[in-house]
Amino acid sequence: MALGPGEQGPWTRLSIGARVVLAAVLALVATVLVTWVAERSALRWRADLTADAENTLHPATSKVLAELPREIEIDLFFSLPDAPFQLVGREVQDRVRRLARLFADQSGGRVRVEDHDLSDRTRLAPRSQARRHELGLTGIEPGGLAAVSAGGRRQLLRLRGDFSDLDPGNADPRQGPVRPPRVAGFRGEEALLAAILKVSEEHAPLVVFTKGHGELDLESSAERGAALLVRELLAQGFRTRAWDGNAGAPFPADADLAVVLGAEQRFTAPEFEALADYVERGGRLLVALSPRTVDGAASVEELLGRFGARPRPGGIVCTPMPSATGALQTGIPQCAYAVVGHEGMPAQNPVTDPLRTAGQRVMFYASRAVDRAPAPRSARVLDLLRSSPESWFETPAGGADRYDYAPDPTSERTRFTLAMQVVFPPEPGRAPVASGDPARPEARVLAVGSVDALANHLVVTNRDFIANAFDWLASREYRVRVDSREREARRLDLADPAPVARVHTVAVVLLPGLCVLLGLATWRKRRSTR
Amino acid sequence: MSGFLAIARRELAGLFVGPLAWALLSIALLLQGWLFVLYLRTSGGDVDLSLRFALGESWAFWALLILVPPLLTMRMISEESRTGLLEFLLTAPVSDAAVVAGKFAAATLFLALLWATALVYALTTAGLGVPPDWGALLGGWLGAVACSALFVAVGLFASALTSTPIVAAFAAVILNLVFVTAPLLGGLSDQPAVRRAVARIDVIDHHKSAFLAGVLDSSYLIFFVAWTLFFLFLAVRAVEARRWR
């Protein structure tokens, strides 16, 4: 309706203008309010239209999300995947993003997701940098990772290995039919769920470190200190405590696992017996060995020998190091490093399987070889990490710790066991440990040949191995089985050019061409009717 | 209702009688078709992934969405206002809302048709023995239509503000760009409140994390409906305001 002659004054127009602005503001508020209300989980309705139910969480996941005891944050730090996984890596990133969003949507606000795009490092938001610092993320590999955290605890999940298995395919026709890289398996839901369970559980397992025998200093930030290990364990949801048995303190009854970090002196007899008794009653023990042999009664060697693992005395394992030209070098101190790849790890093992599938390696320094010894009744002994086949056993050339890092002509070149796992039932008739798992009462021992593998200078490199090892020892294997979600492969055969050519004809020639023809016909018709 | 239908029919016929719609359709289909084949090749023949690219995963989709709706809607109100046709229309026995809704329906239908060409791609691959995930395709198409509806509403609002079509198109492109890029820029902020606020208008995220993933979620659907209605409301108000001049 037009304004009448008497209604065209400036005040009338101002009043109408104000009313219009008010109406627009109210409409904006209503829009924001409606979208906010629509996000409330109680009012939401959703339907998964996909044929493979890709967007529907497993009932076990939904149950966990519905009963979460605390708020969970999922930080996605995704970057460009490395070759040849650029495309499939992005596909996995995309699926993880959607999955994380699904977790957030179904948790009723208990799970929050933050996506930090690391693709463009020049524009990295201060917020992302701050979160990386908070979560203790120093280096992020190509492709990136997801951090699941609650309070001070966090779990890191990698694109390759944790979320998915990626098949590099074959780009070389000489090595068989050319295949593009593909996602061989996607288990994002299971990985996220396990991480959420770990960071949200009420019980924090207690790790007891022995002290007073030359072990690594738990508070030292020096290269051979263990401050980073302790920080990593706290972040993983463990508690830590030092046990000074020398001072006569009793072994903590609430210990979930005992750790000996490179003891170089013998234990006292009561300490030794307390440790042995704890393990024999179903306790968990990790012994990381110092390069120096400590033999005799009440030594770590004797302790491990009692459970089926015997450190080989008098030397360390060395491996030839590749030079810049690719030739293998010996006679240099770097030969004391042993890098264990997937070929030195068993499959189907909770400690090494994630490392194998992720293509990750474990680095040891000045590692002892661990041999098998008579094991307790019904024990299962497994060589967990083995050196490369070119390794040799290096003995000091003149005096303790003086190595020339060169194999003797008579040196045996073989794989040495650098870490050994032993599992056995507790001794019958004895009271099981207080913290034991009643569902699966068993003692678990892990002998690690190199204490340096757990020291500050190698903790970041071996972070996943350490996390898996401690999780296994503390029975933190969350087996909420969620089936791997495989998208049914719907692929055109690119080896045959005909199908793609046909799609090209339809999509690029026929459809646009038809529009051009119809447009021309319309134009001609219009001209002729004028 | 009959007024709304009459206007929608008239607008749709007007679109297809003029050369602009055909030109836009041809260019858009050529770009979409070429990119679809490109994605098909680079994804190792993955039909679902390529269709997702065509319906929202690619930059080309968003470029088309930012540019095509303003070009379609720029003349719908502003041109008619300039030529005096709008005044004639507003004196007809139809409400302002019916006028705006009819034009909105026509432009949205046109874009729905454009995105439906993904169905032709899918039928082609199905004919070659590789049928796509039809449910996911439907979700992607619905999302593309929802995004288009929102941007058409923005375009109509801009068109109602001015009598110069090119200015209307320019204003609509700017508004669309704000919608698309604000969340990206907001993501750079270290203020959680800012990030949360801009996430509420993140069109790309709302499309990609629900519709394009093959999920029909009432919350995401209401997001698009609410914002579309908001801009349509503004457009109706702007048309109404012409009576005061």
Side-chain angles (χ1 to χ4, degrees), chain A residues 448-466:
Chain A
V448 177
S450 160
V451 71
D452 283 85
L454 281 72
N456 289 337
H457 69 116
L458 287 178
V459 159
V460 174
T461 310
N462 295 331
R463 186 163 57 193
D464 288 347
F465 167 70
I466 292 168

Side-chain angles (χ1 to χ4, degrees), chain A residues 1-3 13 16-17 20 23-24 27-28 31-32 34-36 38-39 43-52 54-55 87 91 94 98 101 105 114 123-127 180 487-488 490-492 494 499-500 502-504 506-508 511-512 515-516 518-519 522-523 526, chain B residues 16-19 22 25-26 29-30 33-34 36-37 40-49 52 57 117 120-121 124-125 128 130-133 135-136 138-139 187-190 195 200 205 208-209 213-220 222-223 226-227 230 233-234 243-245:
Chain A
M1 188 176 70
L3 295 176
R13 286 181 176 277
I16 292 171
V20 168
L28 180 65
T31 304
V32 172
V34 164
T35 53
W36 181 80
E39 283 170 14
L43 299 174
R44 278 174 95 155
W45 168 87
R46 66 191 299 282
D48 186 355
L49 303 176
T50 57
D52 308 326
E54 259 185 80
N55 304 294
L87 204 68
E91 185 190 333
D94 190 41
R98 279 189 280 140
R101 171 60 74 92
D105 284 349
E114 200 166 339
R123 292 193 304 125
L124 202 56
R127 164 76 186 159
R487 275 203 313 128
E488 192 189 322
R490 300 180 183 90
R491 288 177 187 275
L492 272 185
L494 294 184
V500 181
R502 209 167 297 169
V503 175
H504 183 274
V506 171
V508 182
L511 274 177
C515 283
V516 171
L518 285 171
T522 313
W523 177 69
R526 275 187 76 184
Chain B
F16 284 104
V17 166
W22 290 110
L25 208 54
S26 307
L29 286 183
L30 188 67
W34 179 72
F36 176 72
V37 176
L40 209 52
R41 288 186 207 276
T42 50
S43 65
D46 192 326
V47 172
D48 288 331
L49 202 62
R52 282 178 51 131
E57 200 72 70
T117 50
V120 179
Y121 306 156
T124 310
T125 63
L128 293 166
V130 189
D133 184 339
L138 176 67
L188 295 177
S189 167
D190 54 352
R195 286 204 316 278
R200 304 199 74 81
D205 183 61
K208 282 169 75 170
S209 53
V215 175
L216 214 53
D217 188 317
S218 60
S219 157
Y220 294 78
I222 287 171
F223 167 84
W227 282 105
F230 171 69
F233 173 79
L234 293 186
R243 294 176 195 268
W244 312 330
R245 292 173 192 171

Side-chain angles (χ1 to χ4, degrees), chain A residues 20-34:
Chain A
V20 168
V21 170
L22 183 67
V25 170
L26 284 177
L28 180 65
V29 171
T31 304
V32 172
L33 199 66
V34 164

Side-chain angles (χ1 to χ4, degrees), chain A residues 282-370:
Chain A
R284 312 294 165 93
L285 174 69
L286 185 148
V287 176
L289 293 158
S290 159
R292 296 195 184 92
T293 305
V294 191
D295 219 344
S299 64
V300 284
E301 271 82 349
E302 194 197 344
L303 185 67
L304 281 176
R306 201 152 155 171
F307 304 123
R310 177 169 315 190
R312 190 176 295 189
I316 58 172
V317 175
C318 285
T319 50
M321 291 301 287
S323 66
T325 59
L328 293 177
Q329 274 185 304
T330 59
I332 53 174
Q334 287 85 345
C335 291
Y337 282 98
V339 179
V340 182
H342 71 276
E343 64 286 342
M345 304 174 185
Q348 305 294 319
N349 182 280
V351 178
T352 53
D353 212 34
L355 305 175
R356 280 171 57 91
T357 49
Q360 288 187 320
R361 297 184 293 183
V362 181
M363 189 177 278
F364 277 27
Y365 176 73
S367 178
R368 303 276 295 277
V370 185

Side-chain angles (χ1 to χ4, degrees), chain A residues 277-288:
Chain A
D277 173 69
Y278 165 70
V279 177
E280 283 163 358
R281 290 190 296 119
R284 312 294 165 93
L285 174 69
L286 185 148
V287 176

